[in-house]
Amino acid sequence: MRKILYGLWVVMWLVNFSYGQSPRSTNAVVREERVYLLSPNDVIEVKVYQEEDLVTKGRVAKDGTLTLPLVGVVKVGGKSVGQAAAFIQDLYGKDYLVHPQVGVTILDYAKRNFTVLGQVQRPGSYEIPNEQSIDLLRAIGIAGGYTRIGNPSNIIVQREVNGKKDIFKLDAKAMANDKKAKPFEILPEDTVTVGEKFL
């Protein structure tokens, strides 16, 4: 009887120990996944379940819109595939269909380029891979890294937002040394210029 009680106590202790483990012991690193957002020139397909007449294949316009049957012009740019599907589903469900089920598929990604100039080994235009983001340090790496006189502390990024040109003066050396620094994301059509060291 004493052996049985001891055995039960060991089992209970093991169960409690396993439940009492810190979450850090099982999840060493939690990485944030970036969700791709629809952008101009993406080619997408919109399907409404059991509504063949509403199937639409089209290219997202420069202003982020797409024209759909019944509902007309719809803003999908800046939304994830799931968000766009839910948004369109709500529009159809509001006035036209009962409990519609909408699916959105990307058929062809828009070409998303950035340019690196100045003191890098391979100045030129480069493409951002589909469904990925590029930060400043990686963009410079793609362009071959700095030349002998390249100055990581003197970098300028030019970006056009709503027809207005924004200029960012950045210190890539400080970013590389500070592991807690938030990466500076390079967006399509950005121009990165690496300055020179004063020798």
Side-chain angles (χ1 to χ4, degrees), residues 152-165:
S153 300
N154 180 20
I155 294 179
I156 293 175
V157 175
Q158 294 183 47
R159 175 178 298 166
E160 191 169 312
V161 180
N162 298 324
K164 182 182 175 184
K165 195 166 277 188

Side-chain angles (χ1 to χ4, degrees), residues 36-107:
Y36 180 78
L37 303 180
L38 295 172
S39 60
N41 291 321
D42 282 340
V43 178
I44 66 174
E45 181 180 58
V46 179
K47 284 186 175 181
V48 183
Y49 182 63
Q50 292 187 335
E51 298 289 343
E52 295 298 322
D53 293 344
L54 300 181
V55 174
T56 302
K57 293 180 183 178
R59 189 178 298 274
V60 179
K62 193 171 183 180
D63 61 357
T65 60
L66 184 72
T67 302
L68 299 174
L70 299 179
V71 294
V73 178
V74 176
K75 181 72 180 284
V76 295
K79 293 180 171 61
S80 68
V81 167
Q83 290 169 339
F87 179 62
I88 295 167
Q89 187 168 290
D90 287 343
L91 292 176
Y92 277 124
K94 187 176 180 182
D95 295 315
Y96 304 101
L97 303 172
V98 178
H99 305 304
Q101 296 179 39
V102 173
V104 174
T105 306
I106 301 174
L107 301 178

Side-chain angles (χ1 to χ4, degrees), residues 80-199:
S80 68
V81 167
Q83 290 169 339
F87 179 62
I88 295 167
Q89 187 168 290
D90 287 343
L91 292 176
Y92 277 124
K94 187 176 180 182
D95 295 315
Y96 304 101
L97 303 172
V98 178
H99 305 304
Q101 296 179 39
V102 173
V104 174
T105 306
I106 301 174
L107 301 178
D108 189 24
Y109 291 91
K111 300 300 181 189
R112 303 181 301 146
N113 295 327
F114 65 95
T115 302
V116 186
L117 302 174
Q119 297 302 320
V120 289
Q121 301 290 346
R122 296 190 302 273
S125 182
Y126 296 90
E127 189 174 328
I128 300 174
N130 295 338
E131 296 198 44
Q132 291 186 30
S133 60
I134 298 278
D135 64 30
L136 177 64
L137 300 180
R138 188 176 169 199
I140 293 168
I142 289 171
Y146 306 105
T147 64
R148 185 179 57 82
I149 61 171
N151 186 355
S153 300
N154 180 20
I155 294 179
I156 293 175
V157 175
Q158 294 183 47
R159 175 178 298 166
E160 191 169 312
V161 180
N162 298 324
K164 182 182 175 184
K165 195 166 277 188
D166 286 343
I167 295 178
F168 302 88
K169 295 181 179 180
L170 304 169
D171 186 340
K173 184 177 180 180
M175 290 179 186
N177 291 333
D178 184 0
K179 300 303 180 185
K180 294 182 180 179
K182 185 177 180 181
F184 183 89
E185 184 176 352
I186 298 301
L187 300 182
E189 308 307 322
D190 278 0
T191 299
V192 179
T193 303
V194 177
E196 295 181 12
K197 291 177 182 174
F198 294 106
L199 299 177

